[in-house]
Structures are given as structure tokens and as C-alpha cells.
Amino acid sequence: MQKELIENNPILKKTIEFSLAVIEYCELLNNEKQFIISKQLLRSATSIGANAMEAQNAESKADFIHKIKIAAKEADETQYWLTLCSYAKANLSCSHLEIYLQEIQKIINAILGTAK
């Protein structure tokens, strides 16, 4: 049932895929001893999907919008951490994650535009 919900919901599918890619990237960051950035990136990136998932069971339209707005804020924070990663000494490319995040942000903005 859960997999079906995710496969049929573009934002959930994208955020799950993104979270898995970020987990792999954070493992590389940890290998380079970039623990602080890795931890912050992992938290904010996975929170996007967690809030989108939580929005699926919102109590009202206002609650749905609120949860999606939190996902948008987490996406903004994730963008910040990815920007730091792109400048970090470890020099591990994160451009694939930045592109993925932009796609997610477009979906979130479309959801907010439609929901309001």
C-alpha cells in the first residue's frame, strides 16, 4: 500500500529518490570527514519528503499548505547545505543533487500554487 502511494504521487516519489541519493552522498562526505555538513544535509534533505508525506494526511487544506510550506523551507535549507558542499575542501560534486532539488522545488511550488 505504501509503495503504491509513493509511486502514484510525484512529490513523494521524487523526495524518496532524492533522500536515497543524499544518503549515498553523505556517506561520501563522511569518508572525507565532513561530518557536520553531512549531518545537516541529511537532516534537511530527508525532512523535505517527511513533511510531504505528512501533508498527505493533513487535517485541513490549511494544514496541508502549512506542511508543504515546511517542506519548501527544508528544500531551501538543503540548497544552502548543497552550496556549502560545492565549496567544501572535499570537492565532491553535488550538481546531480542540486538538479534533483530544483525539480522538487518546482513541484512544491506548483502544489502551493494550486492549493491556494
Side-chain angles (χ1 to χ4, degrees):
M1 176 74 175
Q2 193 75 0
K3 282 188 177 184
E4 187 176 307
L5 170 68
I6 291 167
E7 289 299 317
N8 294 324
N9 188 317
I11 189 64
L12 296 182
K13 186 175 181 183
K14 286 278 187 196
T15 56
I16 291 286
E17 292 169 354
F18 179 67
S19 291
L20 292 172
V22 167
I23 290 168
E24 287 181 22
Y25 183 77
C26 286
E27 289 173 358
L28 297 175
L29 286 174
N30 286 336
N31 290 340
E32 296 294 322
K33 305 210 182 320
Q34 297 292 317
F35 302 116
I36 295 170
I37 292 175
S38 174
K39 186 176 182 179
Q40 295 287 40
L41 173 60
L42 186 63
R43 284 184 178 183
S44 64
T46 56
S47 185
I48 301 166
N51 282 289
M53 179 72 86
E54 194 174 333
Q56 304 309 302
N57 293 311
E59 296 176 10
S60 65
K61 184 176 180 180
D63 187 36
F64 175 82
I65 291 170
H66 175 71
K67 286 174 175 36
I68 294 296
K69 282 184 176 180
I70 293 172
K73 287 181 179 185
E74 293 294 338
D76 290 343
E77 181 179 342
T78 300
Q79 183 63 60
Y80 173 78
W81 293 114
L82 288 174
T83 300
L84 281 183
C85 288
S86 68
Y87 288 102
K89 289 180 185 177
N91 200 23
L92 297 170
S93 175
C94 60
S95 59
H96 64 294
L97 296 175
E98 292 174 311
I99 292 167
Y100 223 123
L101 181 60
Q102 289 172 358
E103 292 174 15
I104 290 169
Q105 289 172 313
K106 286 178 185 176
I107 294 170
I108 289 172
N109 288 334
I111 290 169
L112 288 171
T114 302
K116 290 179 181 180

